Amino acid sequence: MKVPKDIRTNCPHCKKHTLHGVSLYKKGTQRTAALGARRHAEDKKGYGGQKFPELIRTAKTTKKMQMKLKCKECGKQLVRAGIRLRKFEILA
């Protein structure tokens, strides 16, 4: 999917249509010291197998990509709902 670098769309903060810069949302690195990660590591440790089944065969061929929009007037960011795409290209 080809997307222009700037899109005119609604800004919920400004409450009007403004120009937004487009980028691809990427997940940040997970904290290994987070409570959920520590609990999951404890459940995986030792005998008794997995708490959740480990995924061996993946059924999906694509991942859901999300557009990150940044308002040029107020600077607030919003993330559009993800859609399944093979390729995401931002046109210069």
Side-chain angles (χ1 to χ4, degrees):
M1 182 173 158
K2 292 181 179 178
V3 178
K5 191 169 66 175
D6 295 321
I7 290 177
R8 274 188 70 83
T9 187
N10 185 54
C11 176
H13 191 257
C14 297
K15 296 186 175 75
K16 59 183 177 183
H17 272 68
T18 56
L19 208 61
H20 286 71
V22 178
S23 60
L24 186 63
Y25 168 80
K26 286 196 176 166
K27 192 170 128 181
T29 53
Q30 288 187 326
R31 297 179 300 133
T32 52
L35 186 60
R38 293 201 310 263
R39 280 190 186 142
H40 190 62
E42 187 66 33
D43 288 332
K44 283 175 73 172
K45 202 165 89 175
Y47 296 107
Q50 293 286 323
K51 184 182 178 190
F52 303 107
E54 277 188 344
L55 190 64
I56 298 162
R57 284 189 300 269
T58 56
K60 305 282 189 282
T61 57
T62 57
K63 287 191 183 280
K64 282 190 173 180
M65 295 192 188
Q66 294 175 312
M67 275 199 307
K68 192 167 71 173
L69 304 170
K70 186 174 182 180
C71 181
K72 299 263 184 176
E73 284 188 24
C74 64
K76 294 277 183 180
Q77 290 185 342
L78 60 133
V79 179
R80 278 263 168 94
I83 48 174
R84 293 198 176 276
L85 300 166
R86 285 190 186 274
K87 190 188 277 186
F88 184 82
E89 190 179 334
I90 297 171
L91 301 173

